[in-house]
Amino acid sequence: MARLYRGCLPRPRAGFRALFRAGFWAALFFVCAAAGAQQIKSMDFRNQNITDILMVLAEASGASILPDETVSGTASFHFSDSDFTDALEAFLSGYKLYHRRDGSVIRVSRIQSGYDRERDRVSLKAEDVGIENLIKALAKAINTSILYDPLPNISLSVDIDNLEVRKALDIIMLKLTDFVLTEDEAWYYIQRRPDGNGETNGAAERIPRIVREGDLYSVSTDRGRFQELVTELFRIGEKEYSVLTKADSVLENLYFSGKDFEGMLRIILEQGNADYVLNNGIYYIVELQRRDVLKKLKETVIVPLRHIPAQEFPSLLPAEYAGNNLLKIDKNTNTVILTGTAEEIVPIRNFLETVDRPAEGLEYRRFELKYLPVEDFLSMAPQKLLPIAPAVVPHSNAFIVQGAAETIAALAGYISTVDKKDEGYPVELKYIKIDELLKNLPPSVTKDDLSDSGYPNLLFFTGPREKRELFIRELALIDKPKPQIRYELLVIEYMKNNETQLGGSLGASKAEEGASPGASFLGSLSNVMNLSFDVVAQFGYQFALNLSAQLGENLAQVYADTTLNGLSGQEIRFQNTDTFRYQEFEVDADTGNLSRTGVTREISSGLIVALNGWVSGDNMITMSVNATVSKQNNNPSSDSTAIPSTSERVVNTHIRTPSGKPVVLSGLIKETADKTRKKVPGLGSIPLFKNLFGESADTNEKTEIVIYIVPYLVMDEEEDRDMNRRLERYYRTLVAEYGK
């Protein structure tokens, strides 16, 4: 990563900014100009391309820096408080690079060359540079053409100082053992040796290799180049030819005699991977791939089989023959096609004659399977019982096999062992359904071990007895009734803009004659006694007394008072909503008139409570509560087509509580502003007297929705919820005991 340092820098040019955005390097820098010199405040490069670093330096300095083709690789370098020239020279010297100024252009290279024309002395310095680039740099320095044949890919490090040009070239050519140097006044020529051996000066000395005696030709040479031998043959044979290939290779150990012209030509062309075409007395030499040459040496033999199927023959081949590509199978004619040299074909053909004999002591037998599908049986049958591939009888569950009597008998015994009907063991589910079991199978079984009976609580198990017993034990842990949860739900809306003074205290006055002893006390709880939710038992008599008073003064309103039942993990919903339906209108863009679309829309408002409880092992109940209280607002607009708006209060939460302990969700508060006006009839409507005979009042109505939930884990014996017994219990615990 590059680090950012303080400094100053003019706004970079667009091309330079594009390089930064493209991510060509990670180098951030600042350059300051002081006293006419370019000062680098800081630069930091980490493993970046050298050419990219030079571009950054060029951009920073405003100079033109041109690297040549020898500049490559990556570098890491840091500059701090340096002059641009010093920083450039330090960077180049650190990575064995050289530079020279050509006007306003700085040229960078891995090669430094110089030439003293008066003394004819040359200097050349480079480290690990390709030999071809060295020759180009030398030619450019001395301003003289240096011709060369294709050179090998060799890198050199040289340090030549004030040497003659010829000696400098001799030093470079020490690695070019197969080349010679030819010198002229105006050029140098680095030429590959004609035969790759020996030394020559100027043109290569011609060495006769091909001799003609009458119509017969002989060749005798250890080494010779393909193109030269072809030229020599056609020169001695006095025939016309045209070479259409540039391929040239060194041929070795050519010793042939007594061949006619075309025989000798074919020998040389086969060695050089070439061929010829004779057309109108002219021999055209064309390039030929080595595999095409080998094709001429191979032959093809077709061997018909009489007793064994051709498709089975490859499986019978020994390992030393099975891995090659010498044979192909023709099923239609039951033949084997062999392609190769005689040495390759003869062993396989002899093996064919050995195995292709009439079968003795073999018989055919048809087997009909009763229960197993024939394809499944053939895939599981031992190979030694089916030495010859069986034939499946179409449209049946049977197959035909050929084999010795002992093999047929062994196969029949194997079929009687495996081709049996699996006996199913009925398993009756008590509480869960089959689809629930299949979704959560115990680890001892798979779906293949179970069969659906068509009844929701009955299935069949097919498998060994030990596995079945393990499945029955595991099923006993799963097939249990899910716990049932009873939810007591109470939703109250409280008015928050007024405070109710509930100064009464709990007490019991003397009952009137003939009245119930606790009637006067229980009368103060009359508004909560009608609720299904047992407020007194859950929150105490003082809370019940306050709530009863608020309900009596219309400062509280019951939204919901119900009891819901559901299984553990099952979602249940309570919904008490009103639905408003309205017609959809559209406006004509031309006339502005309204027209009905015929579409009816609905808006629902009210209370929706969704509960999903789960009973844990310690009888704790975890609940997911999603409650929405929505209200349709009055539409202040006079437009009858306006869609009425709604306001919503939503709570989503997760709660964990013991069975029977209440949960309270509050905080669903809404504040509504309203403006009312009272006036004297008649006079209050006159504009000049409306303030004298009327008054306006702004009111703010603030309400809060509170949700009370009590979850119960339902046991076998339910609590007695009879109202009379509840009243008797209230009196006994709250009144009778209080009066003592």
Side-chain angles (χ1 to χ4, degrees):
M1 296 292 294
R3 297 193 296 269
L4 183 63
Y5 298 90
R6 292 180 298 174
C8 56
L9 177 69
R11 182 178 180 181
R13 293 189 290 273
F16 190 52
R17 294 197 302 273
L19 288 174
F20 269 96
R21 289 194 300 268
F24 277 92
W25 53 75
L28 300 178
F29 61 90
F30 288 89
V31 179
C32 296
Q38 293 170 328
Q39 187 74 16
I40 297 179
K41 185 66 177 177
S42 181
M43 280 191 183
D44 196 10
F45 302 96
R46 306 292 176 86
N47 195 28
Q48 302 300 317
N49 291 332
I50 294 177
T51 54
D52 293 342
I53 295 175
L54 294 176
M55 292 181 68
V56 173
L57 290 172
E59 190 70 27
S61 64
S64 298
I65 301 178
L66 298 180
D68 64 9
E69 68 273 10
T70 64
V71 178
S72 62
T74 59
S76 299
F77 209 78
H78 177 76
F79 304 93
S80 179
D81 293 327
S82 301
D83 180 74
F84 167 73
T85 303
D86 295 339
L88 177 62
E89 291 179 353
F91 171 69
L92 296 179
S93 63
Y95 287 92
K96 306 299 183 182
L97 297 171
Y98 305 96
H99 75 284
R100 63 183 178 85
R101 289 188 176 271
D102 187 3
S104 61
V105 178
I106 301 175
R107 301 185 182 274
V108 179
S109 176
R110 289 190 179 274
I111 304 174
Q112 185 181 52
S113 60
Y115 180 57
D116 187 348
R117 187 171 300 276
E118 295 180 358
R119 299 172 55 204
D120 192 25
R121 293 290 188 269
V122 66
S123 298
L124 191 66
K125 295 182 180 181
E127 184 170 332
D128 194 24
V129 177
I131 194 169
E132 186 172 346
N133 288 326
L134 289 174
I135 294 175
K136 289 180 179 179
L138 183 60
K140 187 175 181 180
I142 65 177
N143 197 23
T144 302
S145 299
I146 301 178
L147 309 178
Y148 51 87
D149 289 343
L151 300 174
N153 188 14
I154 299 175
S155 296
L156 294 177
S157 296
V158 296
D159 189 356
I160 299 173
D161 188 19
N162 290 324
L163 285 181
E164 296 178 0
V165 176
R166 177 58 188 253
K167 291 183 179 180
L169 283 170
D170 290 341
I171 292 175
I172 295 175
M173 291 186 60
L174 289 175
K175 291 286 262 182
L176 303 177
T177 57
D178 292 337
F179 291 79
V180 294
L181 178 63
T182 302
E183 181 180 358
D184 190 82
E185 293 181 357
W187 48 264
Y188 294 92
Y189 181 27
I190 301 175
Q191 181 185 17
R192 181 184 292 273
R193 299 180 190 275
D195 58 357
N197 192 13
E199 297 183 4
T200 61
N201 267 328
E205 180 182 356
R206 183 176 301 279
I207 303 176
R209 302 180 184 89
I210 302 176
V211 178
R212 177 179 180 181
E213 296 180 359
D215 292 333
L216 300 180
Y217 297 81
S218 299
V219 60
S220 177
T221 183
D222 292 331
R223 292 168 58 90
R225 301 201 68 83
F226 168 72
Q227 295 277 7
E228 294 178 357
L229 290 171
V230 170
T231 302
E232 183 77 7
L233 177 62
F234 278 97
R235 185 185 66 79
I236 297 176
E238 299 178 350
K239 297 185 182 294
E240 296 179 335
Y241 74 102
S242 175
V243 179
L244 302 180
T245 175
K246 295 182 179 180
D248 191 15
S249 59
V250 177
L251 310 183
E252 297 181 348
N253 300 323
L254 298 177
Y255 298 99
F256 300 96
S257 62
K259 307 295 182 183
D260 59 10
F261 177 82
E262 293 190 355
M264 182 60 69
L265 176 61
R266 188 163 298 280
I267 290 174
I268 296 174
L269 295 181
E270 287 177 352
Q271 295 289 323
N273 295 334
D275 200 355
Y276 75 91
V277 176
L278 181 61
N279 187 12
N280 295 328
I282 300 176
Y283 290 84
Y284 293 92
I285 310 301
V286 296
E287 186 175 358
L288 189 65
Q289 298 295 328
R290 182 173 179 81
R291 61 177 180 268
D292 297 326
V293 177
L294 295 178
K295 289 178 182 178
K296 298 180 180 180
L297 305 176
K298 296 183 178 181
E299 59 178 318
T300 299
V301 177
I302 300 176
V303 182
L305 300 179
R306 296 180 175 84
H307 305 289
I308 62 174
Q311 61 268 24
E312 297 181 5
F313 177 68
S315 62
L316 303 176
L317 277 173
E320 58 268 24
Y321 300 142
N324 53 37
N325 299 319
L326 301 177
L327 61 89
K328 291 185 178 180
I329 301 300
D330 187 354
K331 297 180 181 180
N332 297 327
T333 60
N334 202 43
T335 57
V336 176
I337 303 173
L338 302 176
T339 302
T341 63
E343 290 78 6
E344 294 173 326
I345 292 177
V346 169
I348 300 179
R349 187 168 186 176
N350 293 338
F351 180 77
L352 268 171
E353 295 174 355
T354 302
V355 299
D356 189 28
R357 296 180 179 273
E360 298 179 359
L362 300 180
E363 60 179 278
Y364 289 94
R365 178 72 63 88
R366 174 186 172 120
F367 289 96
E368 188 85 27
L369 301 179
K370 297 180 180 179
Y371 305 107
L372 281 176
V374 63
E375 293 81 5
D376 295 345
F377 172 78
L378 294 178
S379 63
M380 63 182 289
Q383 188 63 34
K384 63 180 181 180
L385 299 180
L386 300 171
I388 300 178
V392 178
V393 179
H395 310 294
S396 70
N397 199 39
F399 66 93
I400 299 174
V401 67
Q402 182 189 31
E406 296 81 3
T407 304
I408 296 296
L411 181 60
Y414 180 77
I415 292 176
S416 64
T417 302
V418 300
D419 189 29
K420 292 184 177 181
K421 183 178 181 181
D422 292 331
E423 296 183 1
Y425 180 82
V427 178
E428 186 174 359
L429 303 177
K430 296 180 181 179
Y431 303 103
I432 62 176
K433 295 182 180 180
I434 292 179
D435 55 351
E436 297 178 15
L437 175 63
L438 295 179
K439 291 179 181 178
N440 303 281
L441 284 175
S444 62
V445 297
T446 63
K447 290 185 178 180
D448 296 335
D449 298 325
L450 305 176
S451 299
D452 193 348
S453 66
Y455 295 92
N457 296 96
L458 180 64
L459 54 84
F460 293 96
F461 174 83
T462 56
R465 182 175 58 85
E466 294 80 4
K467 189 174 183 179
R468 181 186 69 200
E469 293 176 352
L470 179 59
F471 170 61
I472 295 300
R473 290 197 299 269
E474 293 175 343
L475 183 61
L477 302 175
I478 301 175
D479 191 18
K480 291 184 178 181
K482 288 186 177 181
Q484 186 171 348
I485 304 175
R486 184 180 79 245
Y487 305 92
E488 292 188 357
L489 177 66
L490 177 65
V491 182
I492 302 291
E493 183 181 32
Y494 293 95
M495 303 293 294
K496 306 296 288 185
N497 55 324
N498 293 314
E499 295 184 359
T500 304
Q501 299 295 330
L502 301 176
S505 61
L506 181 61
S509 60
K510 183 176 180 180
E512 297 179 2
E513 184 178 356
S516 175
S520 61
F521 168 74
L522 297 176
S524 61
L525 297 176
S526 60
N527 292 321
V528 298
M529 298 309 297
N530 295 326
L531 298 178
S532 175
F533 193 94
D534 193 348
V535 178
V536 178
Q538 297 298 336
F539 302 106
Y541 59 86
Q542 189 66 44
F543 176 86
L545 189 65
N546 290 335
L547 178 60
S548 179
Q550 288 177 302
L551 292 174
E553 296 293 333
N554 292 327
L555 298 179
Q557 179 182 356
V558 178
Y559 260 58
D561 174 31
T562 184
T563 299
L564 306 173
N565 292 278
L567 298 178
S568 176
Q570 178 186 24
E571 182 180 274
I572 57 176
R573 291 170 61 89
F574 174 82
Q575 182 170 346
N576 184 9
T577 58
D578 296 325
T579 301
F580 172 76
R581 296 177 177 84
Y582 65 94
Q583 289 287 334
E584 187 177 79
F585 288 82
E586 64 180 10
V587 180
D588 192 316
D590 297 329
T591 63
N593 297 329
L594 294 177
S595 61
R596 296 181 183 269
T597 63
V599 179
T600 301
R601 302 294 184 183
E602 293 183 352
I603 294 180
S604 297
S605 60
L607 172 67
I608 300 176
V609 180
L611 301 172
N612 191 341
W614 177 78
V615 180
S616 60
D618 54 357
N619 290 338
M620 295 289 287
I621 299 176
T622 302
M623 292 186 298
S624 172
V625 182
N626 299 317
T628 301
V629 181
S630 58
K631 182 179 180 181
Q632 181 177 315
N633 301 323
N634 294 327
N635 191 357
S637 174
S638 60
D639 187 358
S640 61
T641 65
I643 302 174
S645 61
T646 59
S647 59
E648 293 183 347
R649 283 167 280 182
V650 181
V651 60
N652 295 322
T653 185
H654 286 78
I655 306 168
R656 190 169 186 265
T657 181
S659 174
K661 184 175 181 180
V663 175
V664 181
L665 302 178
S666 60
L668 299 174
I669 300 173
K670 181 181 179 181
E671 186 173 356
T672 304
D674 194 12
K675 185 173 183 179
T676 60
R677 175 174 174 79
K678 297 180 181 180
K679 62 182 179 179
V680 176
L683 296 176
S685 301
I686 301 175
L688 296 177
F689 302 101
K690 65 179 181 179
N691 293 331
L692 298 176
F693 297 95
E695 61 178 357
S696 298
D698 294 332
T699 60
N700 289 326
E701 185 180 76
K702 192 174 185 181
T703 61
E704 179 182 13
I705 299 293
V706 181
I707 301 174
Y708 306 93
I709 304 172
V710 184
Y712 291 93
L713 177 58
V714 179
M715 302 299 182
D716 293 337
E717 296 182 359
E718 283 279 350
E719 178 187 356
D720 190 357
R721 304 174 66 203
D722 183 71
M723 178 64 71
N724 292 328
R725 293 188 180 184
R726 186 193 296 183
L727 294 176
E728 184 178 347
R729 175 165 52 86
Y730 287 167
Y731 173 75
R732 186 172 57 254
T733 58
L734 302 178
V735 178
E737 295 295 332
Y738 178 82
K740 289 182 180 180

